[in-house]
């Protein structure tokens, strides 16, 4: 298994009277990568990588190199769209782009960009230049100009952009002005500059594309990577036996360590993919792949011709290789897992690894309130929704020398909760039921890492009392066509109001309804009226999971009703702070957060097929900004 190296820094920006800034220039390029086993064809993918390096040996890989960030030290990144050929002409998308969604829509020009276009005939896939914008998932306290807003995309600086195309999204120019005013950075053709303050808790983050209506495709093509924030008072772990500083497994890759060094802290990105026989990525080019609906499509019905409501690849790719192996010693490792799948909920199953002991110590927002013994208390299984992370100590000390497979017992279909083998069939044990193989060898030396049962994790600071509660709806729209009535056409968000509690569906371009005051603490309630679980992600904040409660859903009257006596607390691995939470069907899920930076952000489902077709909404912290685009 490839262990992603650390991203080399382009330079350092010295700021008089303020904190120095780590500066990176990171480009997105098209590359060929050996994802499938040797002997099978290589795969064309997109990857982030360093635009310039001192020795000229830039590494572009999917997933990308890891950005290592230090608490309290800002990171500035120049994100460059270099999806161009050697002659400077633009590269089309590797995958079929459905132009009937509400999407970036560069052909619409300045007046039609970021809209859902209309057609007189069913269109084929878009084949023009590709818009990109990068989001740091898990960033807290970042300005909205640096958040990767879905309408702040930009095309590559190619020489053959068709006349009349919009080259930037609706919010690009406004955010360019803010970036210049806030931290003196200039934006230009084919790039944008973001700055991340890094004042939040140490945690496992990741960066990925976030273009309106195209996130599922741009991430599937390869644009993602880890961002690890270290240090600060909430990164100090104690050993309860001594009261002194605990030792976590390490080292992790850094720019000082050569690739291939003996690492004991490893980030692991798990993604599902499918491939054509020539090694190229497979992604559906017709709605018929999902449920057999072969038309009619827009404009002759309300069904998009290419978009699929969910996608489940038939291979498991880990750090850019299908079904890799990792040699591990009989010692403790810190493994940072990311579910980077499109729609798939993973249930990592360690039970086939004899003698292993697994503890979870962190999630998206940093350390948990206390270590959770996954092996003893949770059947040796870790549930991860798309975009969720699990920071774990996996102890191979007592594992006999042999090879073992980390399995996945999550479903090969949408997840609704429950127990594998009882409430749903686990993943195919020969393909998607296998993640990677651990090959256990003797320890090379003494393991100095503190046993996880003796770890005292940093205290979790309680949030202020909430002054506002917002009731929000997770919805699904179905077709009213005569040929295919009832099939899903889009996923939606909305509001819940009144008594009885009635939901109202909203689209991306409806007026903003979530407008927290700057500094306010609120509880958001996600009422899931659909049949599936949704991983809900809120940009800009880290939230605390409050509880869950059963609801009765009346689809006829479009109402929800709470069921008394059914409130359940967060799961042990949901303590501390998170940025993504599972909202189960037939329940309301409550989260609490404080809004500390003004600006324009988004909240959405992280099943990226849903996000790309209306299950994302803008929200604004504080008042309307002078000169901002219309909302």
């Amino acid at each position: 298994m490839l262990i992603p190296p650390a991203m080399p820094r382009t330079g350092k920006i010295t700021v008089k009277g303020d904190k120095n800034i780590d500066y990176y220039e990171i480009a997105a390029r098209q590359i060929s990568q050996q994802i499938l086993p040797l002997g099978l064809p290589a795969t064309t993918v997109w990857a982030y990588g360093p635009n310039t390096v001192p020795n000229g040996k830039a590494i572009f890989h999917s997933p990308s190199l890891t950005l290592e960030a230090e608490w309290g030290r800002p990171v500035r990144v120049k994100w460059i769209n270099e999806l161009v050929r050697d002659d400077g002409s633009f590269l089309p998308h590797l995958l079929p782009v459905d132009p009937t969604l509400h999407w970036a829509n560069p052909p619409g020009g300045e007046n039609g960009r970021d809209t859902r276009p209309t057609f007189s005939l069913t269109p084929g896939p878009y084949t023009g230049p590709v818009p990109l914008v990068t989001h740091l998932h898990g960033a807290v306290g970042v300005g909205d100009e640096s958040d990767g807003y879905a309408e702040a995309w930009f095309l590559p600086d190619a020489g053959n952009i068709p006349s009349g195309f919009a080259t930037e999204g609706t919010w690009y120019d406004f955010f360019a002005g803010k970036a210049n005013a806030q931290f003196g950075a200039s934006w230009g053709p084919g790039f944008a500059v973001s700055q991340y303050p890094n004042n939040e808790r140490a945690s496992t983050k990741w960066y990925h594309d976030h273009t309106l209506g195209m996130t599922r495709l741009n991430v599937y093509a390869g644009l993602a990577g880890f961002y690890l924030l270290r240090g600060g008072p909430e990164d100090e772990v104690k050993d309860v036996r001594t009261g002194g500083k605990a030792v976590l497994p390490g080292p992790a890759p850094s720019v000082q360590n050569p690739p291939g060094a003996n690492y004991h802290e490893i980030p692991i990105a798990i993604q599902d993919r499918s491939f054509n026989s020539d090694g190229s990525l497979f992604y559906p080019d017709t709605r018929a792949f999902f449920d057999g609906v072969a038309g009619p499509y827009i404009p002759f019905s309300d069904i998009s011709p290419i978009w699929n409501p969910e996608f489940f690849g038939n291979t498991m790719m880990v750090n850019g290789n299908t079904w890799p192996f990792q040699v591990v010693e009989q010692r403790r490792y810190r493994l940072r897992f990311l579910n980077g799948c499109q729609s798939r909920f993973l249930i990592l199953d360690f039970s086939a690894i004899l003698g292993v002991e697994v503890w979870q110590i962190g999630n998206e927002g940093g350390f948990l309130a206390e270590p959770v013994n996954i092996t003893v208390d949770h059947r040796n299984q870790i549930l991860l929704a798309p975009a969720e992370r699990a920071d774990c100590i996996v102890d191979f000390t007592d594992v006999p020398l042999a090879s073992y497979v980390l399995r996945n017992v999550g479903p090969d279909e949408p997840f609704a909760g429950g127990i594998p083998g009882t409430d749903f069939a686990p993943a195919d044990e020969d393909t998607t039921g296998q993640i990677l193989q651990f090959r256990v060898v003797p320890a090379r030396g003494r393991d100095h890492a503190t046993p996880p049962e003796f770890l005292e994790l940093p205290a979790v600071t309680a949030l202020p009392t909430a002054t506002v509660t917002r009731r929000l709806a997770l919805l699904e729209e179905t077709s009213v066509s005569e040929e295919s009535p009832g099939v899903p056409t889009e996923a939606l968000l909305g509001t819940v109001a009144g008594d009885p509690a009635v939901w109202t569906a909203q689209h991306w371009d409806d007026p903003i309804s979530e407008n927290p005051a700057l500094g306010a603490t609120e509880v958001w309630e996600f009422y899931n009226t659909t049949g599936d679980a949704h991983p809900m992600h809120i940009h800009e904040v880290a939230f605390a999971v409050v509880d869950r409660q059963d609801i009765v859903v009346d689809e006829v009257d479009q109402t929800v009703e709470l069921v008394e006596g059914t409130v359940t607390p967060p799961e042990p691995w949901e303590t501390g702070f998170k940025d993504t939470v599972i909202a189960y069907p037939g329940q309301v899920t409550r989260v609490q957060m404080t809004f500390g930076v003004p600006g324009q952000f988004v909240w959405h489902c992280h099943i990226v097929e849903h996000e790309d077709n209306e299950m994302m909404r803008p929200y604004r912290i504080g008042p309307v900004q002078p000169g901002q685009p219309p909302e």
Side-chain angles (χ1 to χ4, degrees):
M1 180 180 73
L2 179 131
I3 300 174
M7 183 76 73
R9 197 175 60 186
T10 303
K12 181 176 70 175
I13 299 173
T14 302
V15 182
K16 186 176 181 180
D18 205 343
K19 299 171 183 175
N20 291 335
I21 299 168
D22 290 332
Y23 178 61
Y24 297 83
E25 292 188 0
I26 299 176
R29 295 177 185 169
Q30 184 163 293
I31 65 168
S32 179
Q33 182 170 314
Q34 191 65 49
I35 296 175
L36 297 167
L38 288 173
L40 295 175
T43 302
T44 299
V45 295
W46 294 344
Y48 292 111
N51 189 49
T52 56
V53 290
N55 60 12
K57 296 179 180 178
I59 299 175
F60 280 74
H61 187 272
S62 176
S64 182
L65 283 63
T66 299
L67 270 80
E68 287 278 348
E70 179 183 340
W71 181 81
R73 185 182 177 100
V75 164
R76 184 179 298 179
V77 182
K78 179 180 181 180
W79 299 104
I80 308 168
N81 184 343
E82 289 191 356
L83 294 179
V84 294
R85 297 184 175 91
D86 291 341
D87 64 2
S89 61
F90 70 80
L91 285 164
H93 214 292
L94 296 174
L95 307 169
V97 178
D98 193 328
T100 69
L101 305 183
H102 193 136
W103 71 296
N105 192 29
E110 289 195 9
N111 294 327
R113 60 186 172 180
D114 299 317
T115 64
R116 183 187 289 267
T118 58
F119 298 91
S120 57
L121 297 173
T122 301
Y126 167 76
T127 57
V130 177
L132 300 179
V133 62
T134 302
H135 166 58
L136 176 54
H137 186 125
V140 178
V142 69
D144 56 355
E145 80 290 333
S146 299
D147 187 53
Y149 192 68
E151 290 186 2
W153 52 265
F154 46 95
L155 298 183
D157 186 18
N160 63 333
I161 303 296
S163 175
F165 271 46
T167 55
E168 294 95 16
T170 304
W171 281 74
Y172 179 92
D173 284 342
F174 176 74
F175 286 150
K178 282 195 71 174
N180 187 266
Q182 296 283 350
F183 49 89
S186 297
W187 295 15
F191 71 91
V193 182
S194 300
Q195 185 155 308
Y196 310 108
N198 295 323
N199 292 323
E200 64 266 41
R201 302 178 94 216
S203 57
T204 306
K205 309 176 191 298
W206 63 303
Y207 56 97
H208 60 81
D209 182 77
H210 211 277
T211 302
L212 183 66
M214 295 180 67
T215 299
R216 71 196 185 286
L217 304 174
N218 293 351
V219 174
Y220 191 87
L223 295 178
F226 279 101
Y227 184 111
L228 303 182
L229 177 58
R230 303 180 189 273
E234 292 173 297
D235 199 23
E236 298 174 358
V237 181
K238 293 182 179 180
D239 186 329
V240 297
R241 298 171 298 181
T242 64
K245 185 177 180 180
V247 177
L248 297 180
S254 71
V255 292
Q256 288 78 30
N257 295 333
N262 194 25
Y263 299 122
H264 302 131
E265 180 191 326
I266 304 173
I268 298 177
I270 305 169
Q271 300 169 292
D272 56 347
R273 295 290 186 267
S274 292
F275 300 88
N276 296 304
S277 59
D278 63 358
S280 61
L281 289 170
F282 169 83
Y283 192 86
D285 61 1
T286 173
R287 170 58 184 263
F289 177 84
F290 178 76
D291 53 11
V293 174
Y297 300 129
I298 290 174
F300 307 109
S301 77
D302 52 4
I303 302 171
S304 291
I306 299 174
W307 176 77
N308 278 225
E310 287 96 17
F311 177 75
F312 297 85
N314 60 10
T315 72
M316 302 306 291
M317 185 177 78
V318 183
N319 287 0
N321 293 107
T322 51
W323 297 299
F325 71 88
Q326 178 62 36
V327 175
V328 294
E329 302 171 37
Q330 290 175 311
R331 59 176 297 145
R332 299 178 191 94
Y333 284 77
R334 184 179 186 181
L335 304 182
R336 300 180 186 244
F337 292 101
L338 160 68
N339 181 347
C341 296
Q342 303 287 108
S343 304
R344 181 184 298 275
F345 284 67
L346 298 169
I347 301 178
L348 306 183
D349 185 6
F350 294 84
S351 59
I353 306 174
L354 301 178
V356 76
E357 190 170 292
V358 182
W359 293 73
Q360 185 170 343
I361 60 172
N363 55 25
E364 303 92 73
F367 287 116
L368 305 177
E370 59 183 14
V372 176
N373 192 326
I374 297 297
T375 298
V376 172
D377 298 329
H378 301 284
R379 302 184 303 277
N380 241 342
Q381 295 176 352
I382 297 175
L383 170 64
L384 283 178
E388 283 192 308
R389 283 88 78 199
D391 188 352
C392 300
I393 294 179
V394 180
D395 191 347
F396 295 96
T397 302
D398 295 326
V399 176
L401 305 180
S403 296
Y404 305 89
V405 174
L406 172 61
R407 305 197 69 89
N408 165 43
V409 293
D412 284 328
E413 60 186 10
F415 179 70
I419 299 172
T422 300
D423 299 299
F424 56 83
D428 185 328
E429 62 180 16
D430 294 325
T431 55
T432 51
Q434 300 185 39
I435 304 291
L436 74 146
Q437 182 188 74
F438 290 112
R439 297 181 181 177
V440 182
V441 300
R444 300 183 190 178
R446 183 182 173 188
D447 184 0
H448 295 281
T450 305
E453 61 267 30
F454 298 122
L455 295 178
E456 180 183 328
L457 303 180
V460 177
T461 304
L463 291 169
T465 302
T467 57
V468 174
T469 297
R470 296 185 189 273
R471 295 190 291 175
L472 306 167
L474 315 184
L475 308 165
E476 182 179 86
E477 190 76 18
T478 58
S479 177
V480 296
S481 66
E482 293 183 4
E483 295 82 0
S484 304
V487 302
T489 56
E490 57 189 19
L492 292 166
L493 300 172
T495 58
V496 176
D499 185 14
V502 180
W503 73 70
T504 301
Q506 294 177 316
H507 289 82
W508 168 255
D509 57 355
D510 283 326
I512 281 180
S513 50
E514 289 70 59
N515 180 207
L518 179 62
T521 299
E522 299 189 354
V523 169
W524 286 19
E525 300 182 332
F526 299 121
Y527 289 80
N528 187 352
T529 73
T530 76
D532 304 325
H534 298 273
M536 299 307 300
H537 172 47
I538 306 172
H539 285 217
E540 175 54 28
V541 298
F543 52 72
V545 181
V546 177
D547 59 33
R548 295 180 174 88
Q549 186 173 358
D550 291 347
I551 59 174
V552 175
V553 177
D554 186 331
E555 295 184 357
V556 175
D557 293 333
Q558 298 187 341
T559 62
V560 290
E561 181 182 355
L562 295 172
V563 178
E564 299 298 327
T566 62
V567 175
T568 56
E571 299 288 356
W573 54 85
E574 294 180 316
T575 60
F577 293 96
K578 289 174 62 63
D579 61 44
T580 306
V581 67
I582 300 175
Y584 290 97
Q587 286 191 330
V588 55
T589 300
R590 301 181 177 95
V591 299
Q592 182 174 341
M593 66 226 115
T594 298
F595 300 91
V597 173
Q600 188 92 356
F601 302 96
V602 299
W603 62 285
H604 60 87
C605 173
H606 219 287
I607 294 174
V608 284
E609 281 76 18
H610 293 180
E611 170 188 341
D612 275 351
N613 193 5
E614 299 293 354
M615 206 168 192
M616 179 168 68
R617 287 277 295 149
Y619 83 95
R620 188 180 68 250
I621 301 172
V624 172
Q625 301 175 76
Q628 72 167 58
E631 294 175 340

